[in-house]
Amino acid sequence: MAALFDQLGVLGVALAQWDDRGRARHQAGARRAGSTAIDAIDTLITDLTALRARLVSEVRADDDAGSHT
């Protein structure tokens, strides 16, 4: 979970820098921020997919064990 929050932080900063690209003095920095945002999104998708798979497995195992009421 910590990795997800870290990536969300990276994404937030990068999107803010990208959003400010019209006013940025350094356009190359804004372009790098756009690429960073894309990379963070890709990482989040991968991490969320893995988290979903793990959660589905845990929920099914819980159902099989009959530990819910």
Side-chain angles (χ1 to χ4, degrees), residues 28-68:
R31 176 60 179 85
R32 278 191 304 276
S35 292
T36 298
I38 291 167
D39 291 343
I41 290 167
D42 290 343
T43 299
L44 282 164
I45 289 169
T46 300
D47 290 351
L48 285 170
T49 300
L51 177 60
R52 182 189 182 283
R54 190 179 85 210
L55 184 57
V56 166
S57 177
E58 290 173 3
V59 167
R60 288 181 179 158
D62 188 65
D63 286 347
D64 292 343
S67 61
H68 53 83

Side-chain angles (χ1 to χ4, degrees), residues 14 17-22 24 26-36:
Q17 291 172 340
W18 174 253
D19 192 46
D20 196 40
R21 69 190 177 281
H26 303 286
Q27 293 298 313
R31 176 60 179 85
R32 278 191 304 276
S35 292
T36 298

